[in-house]
Amino acid sequence: TPNMKIKLFLEMMTWKNISLQDSASPLMEQLNYFHDHTLMILLIITVLVAQLMISMFFNKFTHRYLLEGQIIEVIWTILPTLTLIFIAIPSLRLIYILDEINNPMITIKTIGHQWYWSYEYSDFKNIEFDSYMIPTNELKIFNFRLLDVDNRIAAPFQSQIRMLITATDVIHSWTIPSLGVKIDATPGRLNQTTFSLNRSGLFFGQCSK
């Protein structure tokens, strides 16, 4: 209808972008949170170690009777252990979330080939097609070089989507960074993953192998 407004979000890396892409799925949101959490811990460690090294460079501490310090040794053994625990617990939680599959609404089978991908909608009859990258000499003004394809897959948003992934020749990797999805396509093996889109949009990814 004329009153209906459809927003299409374009999701891809841009020039001078040094951060992660905006998340378009709950999985990527959790990955972003874990990234920020771990980066803050690393920043604290880096500042602390840098301060200690600068202090050692510009000060001359001498203690002729300082042969051992059991208290400080206990402290610098316990503190790294606690730091690793604060990193490991969210990491393990995230691993289980990424592997969990809850009643998918639609299943898409993805087959990796040397220069293209094949897709099959398993829940429907006779819906399968190949997706080739558009050659540079055939690009339109609105296409993106080395990213756009002739046949895009369409998936519903706010729904659980299961991807079944394999390959016919060599190892490939089906990757959509803004969705937090990266899974290997291995010949002779059927891998699976799941994701859910928060919003509609056009999302790009490249083979990571």
Side-chain angles (χ1 to χ4, degrees):
T1 61
N3 297 326
M4 183 182 296
K5 294 182 180 179
I6 299 177
K7 292 184 178 180
L8 182 67
F9 294 91
L10 182 65
E11 202 62 60
M12 59 181 292
M13 293 300 292
T14 55
W15 294 109
K16 299 182 181 179
N17 189 357
I18 60 174
S19 60
L20 300 173
Q21 295 184 22
D22 293 336
S23 63
S25 70
L27 296 179
M28 192 59 193
E29 287 181 3
Q30 293 297 320
L31 288 171
N32 280 337
Y33 294 150
F34 178 69
H35 170 268
D36 296 340
H37 169 77
T38 308
L39 202 62
M40 185 58 64
I41 294 177
L42 292 178
L43 182 62
I44 294 172
I45 294 173
T46 303
V47 171
L48 177 62
V49 173
Q51 192 272 335
L52 291 174
M53 291 183 66
I54 292 173
S55 177
M56 291 175 63
F57 277 126
F58 292 99
N59 294 283
K60 295 181 180 179
F61 298 109
T62 58
H63 196 308
R64 59 184 299 187
Y65 297 112
L66 184 60
L67 300 178
E68 62 178 354
Q70 293 184 354
I71 295 178
I72 191 65
E73 288 176 0
V74 170
I75 292 174
W76 71 44
T77 301
I78 292 177
L79 285 182
T81 304
L82 294 176
T83 303
L84 291 176
I85 290 175
F86 279 116
I87 295 176
I89 291 177
S91 176
L92 291 172
R93 170 181 169 273
L94 195 55
I95 288 175
Y96 281 101
I97 290 176
L98 292 174
D99 285 339
E100 189 174 359
I101 297 178
N102 294 320
N103 300 323
M105 178 176 288
I106 188 173
T107 299
I108 304 174
K109 184 178 180 181
T110 306
I111 305 171
H113 303 274
Q114 191 69 41
W115 295 106
Y116 64 98
W117 293 92
S118 297
Y119 296 99
E120 301 176 4
Y121 286 77
S122 305
D123 301 305
F124 306 94
K125 291 184 178 180
N126 301 324
I127 300 183
E128 50 186 71
F129 56 89
D130 297 331
S131 180
Y132 287 86
M133 186 185 301
I134 299 177
T136 304
N137 58 347
E138 298 179 10
L139 289 174
K140 303 292 190 299
I141 192 65
F142 51 81
N143 291 137
F144 295 97
R145 179 176 173 270
L146 301 180
L147 285 175
D148 254 311
V149 294
D150 56 357
N151 291 316
R152 299 169 178 163
I153 64 169
F157 68 98
Q158 295 182 349
S159 303
Q160 283 291 329
I161 302 163
R162 178 173 59 182
M163 299 293 297
L164 301 177
I165 299 166
T166 186
T168 59
D169 40 26
V170 296
I171 297 177
H172 302 276
S173 184
W174 198 82
T175 308
I176 305 292
S178 58
L179 300 181
V181 176
K182 182 180 185 297
I183 186 166
D184 289 343
T186 308
R189 178 170 179 172
L190 193 65
N191 295 328
Q192 71 173 350
T193 186
T194 184
F195 60 88
S196 175
L197 294 165
N198 282 341
R199 50 187 167 82
S200 60
L202 184 59
F203 308 104
F204 289 97
Q206 288 177 308
C207 180
S208 302
K209 292 292 185 183

